[in-house]
Amino acid sequence: MSGSLNPLLPAGLLNALFWVLVAACVVAQVFIVRAVFRTLPAAPTSSAVPAPRRWAEVVQVILPVVGLVALFLGAWRALALPTTP
């Protein structure tokens, strides 16, 4: 690839689109984390259904957050790289 990431879109539009998508993912993750911490039952309602382990639920929420942060940092660095003609 020579030039920019996408020759059809200006750099300002790419940056704006990136930050809008970051904001959307942050809002979604906040609601996911909030839902997990609000809805974990204290005791199982039925002995036939095993209760979820709290630490397992927390890990399943935190790992995607860490992955998204890593992906966004990589994408942000790629957008910030100077373009060579």
Side-chain angles (χ1 to χ4, degrees):
M1 281 193 312
S2 64
S4 66
L5 294 174
N6 188 348
L8 300 176
L9 296 175
L13 184 60
L14 284 175
N15 283 330
L17 181 61
F18 172 77
W19 288 110
V20 165
L21 294 174
V22 167
C25 286
V26 167
V27 169
Q29 284 297 331
V30 165
F31 280 109
I32 291 170
V33 170
R34 185 175 154 224
V36 166
F37 285 111
R38 286 181 120 194
T39 60
L40 283 178
T45 57
S46 170
S47 61
V49 178
R53 292 188 172 99
R54 187 165 183 87
W55 65 268
E57 295 284 331
V58 171
V59 168
Q60 289 177 353
V61 169
I62 298 300
L63 284 180
V65 170
V66 171
L68 275 175
V69 168
L71 287 174
F72 282 133
L73 286 175
W76 186 36
R77 285 185 172 195
L79 283 174
L81 288 177
T83 58
T84 55

